């Protein structure tokens, strides 16, 4: 199934369940008033028709805009090279770095002009950045605690980590999949894959369902001094997107 078939299916379903709408709103990514397609009751079902940004990315941008960062001086790092957060940071911060994970060997090797980084072992020096951001990445990281610890390491004291994952109300984070000793996938729950702008629809295995409560204590455990889950309702009264804002 390609992504357009999938979107069309979602639009038809949303017309049936009454969630379909085409409101005009300000888009933080386009930086102008534009039309949004609402085709469901999740943030990923809300999309700017001009720049294709979802409400997940735009909620992250909205939280970043609240931070006391200096566009000319603050060193900023985003863990992908596409999407609204990437575009916003690239056009607003002079000192901006980004990467993607293309598989081993990572460690700062460039693949078609994009830096390849495994967040579980970043190749950046300690205290390199004032802001690190990611959108829907850490549910796919086998050792996500190693990833959080690495983000903490590369942040300056007082630096910010702003990110989203799909958040669950359960008390504990649940392991969905893990890597076997041979590096293959071992499913502990029903198989679940997410779409990727790099590799396509349904290609990225989900390792974790992150608990809202546990994710904040996980961040404190690896060294973040503050961690909060902040809510943005900018796109629809019926859909709220939460964003983690943690401070080293
Ligand atoms: Zn837009």
């Amino acid at each position: 199934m390609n992504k357009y078939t999938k979107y069309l299916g979602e639009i038809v379903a949303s017309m049936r369940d009454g969630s379909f709408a085409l409101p005009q709103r300000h888009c933080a990514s386009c930086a102008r008033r534009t039309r949004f397609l609402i085709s469901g009751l999740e943030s990923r079902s809300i999309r700017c028709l001009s720049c294709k940004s979802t409400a997940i990315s735009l909620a992250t941008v909205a939280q970043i805009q609240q931070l006391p960062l200096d566009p000319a001086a603050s060193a900023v790092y985003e863990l992908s090279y596409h999407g609204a957060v990437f575009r916003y940071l690239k056009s607003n911060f002079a000192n901006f770095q980004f990467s993607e994970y293309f598989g081993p060997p990572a460690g700062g090797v460039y693949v078609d002009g994009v830096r390849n980084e495994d967040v579980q072992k970043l190749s950046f020096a300690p205290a390199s950045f004032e802001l690190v951001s990611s959108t829907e990445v850490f549910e796919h990281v086998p050792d996500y605690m190693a990833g959080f610890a690495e983000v903490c390491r590369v942040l300056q004291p007082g630096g910010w980590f702003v990110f989203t994952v799909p958040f669950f109300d359960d008390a504990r984070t649940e392991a969905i999949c893990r890597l076997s000793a041979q590096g293959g996938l071992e499913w502990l729950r029903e198989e679940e894959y997410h779409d990727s702008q790099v590799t396509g629809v349904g290609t990225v295995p989900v390792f974790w369902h992150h608990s809202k409560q546990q994710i904040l204590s996980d961040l404190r455990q690896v060294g973040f001094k503050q961690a909060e889950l902040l809510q943005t309702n900018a796109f629809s009264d019926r859909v709220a997107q939460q964003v983690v804002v943690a401070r080293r």
Side-chain angles (χ1 to χ4, degrees):
M1 181 169 59
N2 74 32
K3 63 181 177 181
Y4 296 104
T5 314
K6 183 176 172 174
Y7 294 156
L8 199 61
E10 286 174 2
I11 289 166
V12 171
S14 70
M15 285 172 160
R16 289 205 185 103
D17 72 19
S19 57
F20 180 84
L22 286 168
Q24 272 205 333
R25 296 285 160 85
H26 176 82
C27 176
S29 179
C30 300
R32 63 190 172 89
R33 201 167 167 79
T34 175
R35 207 164 276 285
F36 282 77
L37 168 66
I38 301 182
S39 61
L41 293 176
E42 294 173 55
S43 297
R44 61 171 187 78
S45 319
I46 302 177
R47 198 171 275 275
C48 170
L49 284 175
S50 300
C51 70
K52 313 291 185 286
S53 300
T54 67
I56 301 173
S57 307
L58 295 173
T60 306
V61 169
Q63 294 300 342
I64 291 171
Q65 288 173 332
Q66 305 296 315
L67 301 177
L69 297 167
D70 179 349
S74 295
V76 167
Y77 172 42
E78 154 65 28
L79 286 164
S80 77
Y81 73 109
H82 49 73
V85 179
F86 167 79
R87 288 193 298 271
Y88 171 77
L89 296 174
K90 188 170 192 289
S91 52
N92 285 281
F93 289 91
N95 189 355
F96 174 57
Q97 298 215 47
F98 57 92
S99 69
E100 182 64 59
Y101 181 54
F102 298 105
V109 173
Y110 279 77
V111 178
D112 296 333
V114 180
R115 185 171 179 139
N116 187 13
E117 287 286 349
D118 178 351
V119 73
Q120 298 164 118
K121 39 180 190 252
L122 294 171
S123 67
F124 295 103
S128 293
F129 303 106
E130 206 169 324
L131 169 69
V132 176
S133 62
S134 75
T135 306
E136 313 292 270
V137 167
F138 281 86
E139 71 272 30
H140 304 293
V141 176
D143 187 351
Y144 76 87
M145 284 296 274
F148 286 170
E150 276 294 88
V151 171
C152 194
R153 180 182 68 80
V154 303
L155 276 172
Q156 297 162 11
W160 306 90
F161 179 26
V162 179
F163 71 100
T164 62
V165 291
F167 298 110
F168 290 81
D169 285 319
D170 312 282
R172 307 291 303 168
T173 288
E174 187 177 25
I176 306 301
C177 184
R178 67 182 174 204
L179 291 181
S180 70
Q182 292 75 35
L185 299 180
E186 263 180 27
W187 290 96
L188 307 168
R189 296 283 183 275
E190 192 182 336
E191 290 189 19
E192 185 180 346
Y193 290 87
H194 286 172
D195 303 346
S196 156
Q197 294 199 39
V198 180
T199 53
V201 170
T203 54
V204 191
V206 173
F207 284 80
W208 303 99
H209 282 183
H210 286 284
S211 147
K212 286 177 187 173
Q213 295 100 321
Q214 192 182 324
I215 204 163
L216 301 180
S217 58
D218 287 342
L219 290 160
R220 292 188 193 103
Q221 198 180 317
V222 302
F224 285 92
K225 291 202 171 64
Q226 300 168 21
E228 283 183 289
L229 202 52
L230 302 175
Q231 189 156 304
T232 307
N233 291 64
F235 298 92
S236 160
D237 300 338
R238 299 167 74 187
V239 183
Q241 172 65 40
Q242 289 172 315
V243 178
V244 174
V245 178
R247 190 164 199 198
R248 189 189 155 185

